[in-house]
Amino acid sequence: MITRTDLSLATYCLRLGDDALVMSHRFGEWVTYAPQIEEDVALANIGLDLLGQARALLTRSGELAAGDGPAATEDDLAYWRDERAFTNVHLVEQPRGDFADVTVRLLWFAAYQHALYAALTDHPDPTLGGVAAKAVKEVAYHLDHATQWVLRLGDGTAESHRRAQDAVAAVAPYVDELFTDDELVTDLADAGLAVLPSSLRAGVQSVVTAVLLQATLTPVTPTWHARGGRAGVHSESMGPMLAVMQHLARSHPGASW
Amino acid sequence: MSEPLWEVFVRASRGLSHQHVGSLHAPDAAMALRNARDVFTRRQEGVSLWVVPAAAITASSPDEREAFFDPAGDKVYRHPTFYEVPEDVQYL
């Protein structure tokens, strides 16, 4: 017997897991492209932290959605869903860009994840609560790493400042979606089973704004907002990214390594 | 990259001394510490990190090796070989 609440919670885990999975893949793309080999390792480490979160969240999502039946595994969900079935926000799927882009994007995302996981540590679902308790420490480091680099790029050379300011403007349209509520998450939050995204907005914005101002950067108010990621409507770059991410598993079903 | 070089020291656990593990590039001390965390402690190798500017280290020269080290070679009386070390003394 699968309750409606279980299904909603499965979707909630899927959303958080998809955010982490897609962001993780984008960070993997940075290996050998970072400005120094030390940063290659740092970005890969962050990507691996996110992948660990994604694995646990997708596994839990599969279990909750299956009830007593056979559950979709983490690999089923990562490799065998098509674009419209992915529930991540647009921010995490954006193409690599330059080093300022990934740094400013990580600042927003890590600040968001940190507030989110901190609020989920005492979640009644033991898996979700456990993932959050472990991840909140990982994400604190991601936030620190992004902060360190935003300060140095923003308050660095004229060129690094210009590119960091461009990155702040480029990410701005994708921020609002992180804090957008819908019916599913509102119902879950009413039952104490989810954190209302809108409740995180003020705290995250003040964390990011403080870093930007200290970095001599100017916060940007966007003229449009990305929408629809949670419902499976994605931007142009999502399809090509999935093609790369899923190609091996789909070309060689059942392969192991 | 023309960023300065840093030497990295890791302490594996409480009570042990920091050991030199390698070097890396970073623009400043704070980033060097973070890079060291990512490069050298990602498999739980340590509980404490030091980073030191490589330029701050004064090293002995290979040319001076004979004058520096060879005179100790034939002075066995400087070795504490006449003591028995109790088995339960660690890290000696």
Side-chain angles (χ1 to χ4, degrees):
Chain A
M1 171 68 190
I2 307 171
T3 65
R4 183 161 167 269
T5 303
D6 281 347
L7 280 177
S8 295
L9 199 54
T11 302
Y12 186 61
C13 288
L14 194 67
R15 292 176 176 186
L16 306 189
D18 282 347
D19 283 353
L21 176 67
V22 172
M23 189 75 162
S24 160
H25 186 84
R26 287 301 191 197
F27 270 72
E29 291 178 349
W30 270 96
V31 175
T32 75
Y33 286 97
Q36 49 183 205
I37 195 169
E38 289 83 354
E39 193 59 26
D40 271 343
V41 177
L43 294 178
N45 270 345
I46 291 171
L48 286 172
D49 285 344
L50 292 169
L51 186 63
Q53 297 164 18
R55 292 186 60 184
L57 290 165
L58 293 186
T59 299
R60 187 62 183 140
S61 176
E63 290 168 357
L64 285 166
D68 299 329
T73 67
E74 49 178 311
D75 282 357
D76 293 336
L77 292 171
Y79 295 127
W80 295 95
R81 279 181 300 154
D82 289 332
E83 181 176 332
R84 287 300 308 266
F86 274 81
T87 57
N88 54 282
V89 291
H90 286 222
L91 180 133
V92 296
E93 74 198 35
Q94 295 313 302
R96 204 171 65 222
D98 68 13
F99 187 62
D101 285 319
V102 72
T103 303
V104 175
R105 206 179 297 147
L106 180 64
L107 179 67
W108 273 111
F109 188 63
Y112 158 77
Q113 274 198 316
H114 191 256
L116 173 72
Y117 286 139
L120 284 175
T121 49
D122 54 359
H123 194 279
D125 182 83
T127 306
L128 188 49
V131 170
K134 178 169 178 285
V136 75
K137 287 181 273 183
E138 298 169 345
V139 173
Y141 186 79
H142 305 171
L143 180 57
D144 174 73
H145 191 83
T147 300
Q148 295 294 328
W149 270 117
V150 169
L151 292 177
R152 281 160 180 76
L153 295 177
D155 197 13
T157 65
E159 169 78 359
S160 73
H161 177 88
R162 181 184 65 76
R163 291 172 75 160
Q165 186 62 53
D166 287 350
V168 171
V171 77
Y174 300 102
V175 170
D176 192 65
E177 193 183 11
L178 291 169
F179 309 114
T180 303
D181 304 335
D182 64 4
E183 192 181 338
L184 181 137
V185 79
T186 305
D187 286 350
L188 281 176
D190 286 346
L193 295 172
V195 176
L196 212 52
S198 60
S199 71
L200 304 172
R201 183 193 298 266
V204 173
Q205 251 169 359
S206 76
V207 167
V208 171
T209 302
V211 174
L212 294 182
L213 293 178
Q214 197 189 338
T216 73
L217 295 164
T218 309
V220 172
T221 305
T223 53
W224 62 281
H225 297 294
R227 284 277 180 273
R230 298 295 186 214
V233 179
H234 294 285
S235 49
E236 190 179 351
S237 53
M238 181 73 174
M241 193 217 78
L242 282 183
V244 173
M245 191 181 90
Q246 298 178 328
H247 155 260
L248 188 69
R250 290 186 178 209
S251 299
H252 306 278
S256 61
W257 55 87
Chain B
M1 295 290 288
S2 58
E3 293 179 345
L5 191 67
W6 302 78
E7 301 298 333
V8 181
F9 299 79
V10 176
R11 195 179 73 197
S13 66
R14 285 195 66 82
L16 294 186
S17 56
H18 286 72
Q19 301 280 327
H20 183 241
V21 292
S23 54
L24 48 74
H25 290 91
D28 53 48
M31 288 311 299
L33 203 55
R34 284 161 178 83
N35 286 349
R37 179 262 194 193
D38 285 327
V39 175
F40 292 109
T41 66
R42 55 199 295 266
R43 299 181 186 88
Q44 291 189 305
E45 288 91 340
V47 296
S48 172
L49 272 171
W50 288 349
V51 290
V52 177
I57 292 177
T58 306
S60 62
S61 160
D63 298 338
E64 297 166 332
R65 196 168 61 93
E66 288 184 5
F68 261 56
F69 304 116
D70 281 3
D74 59 354
K75 298 181 177 62
V76 291
Y77 49 84
R78 288 180 181 171
H79 293 272
T81 51
F82 308 102
Y83 299 92
E84 300 222 343
V85 178
E87 277 183 12
D88 52 353
V89 175
Q90 294 181 345
Y91 312 129
L92 196 65

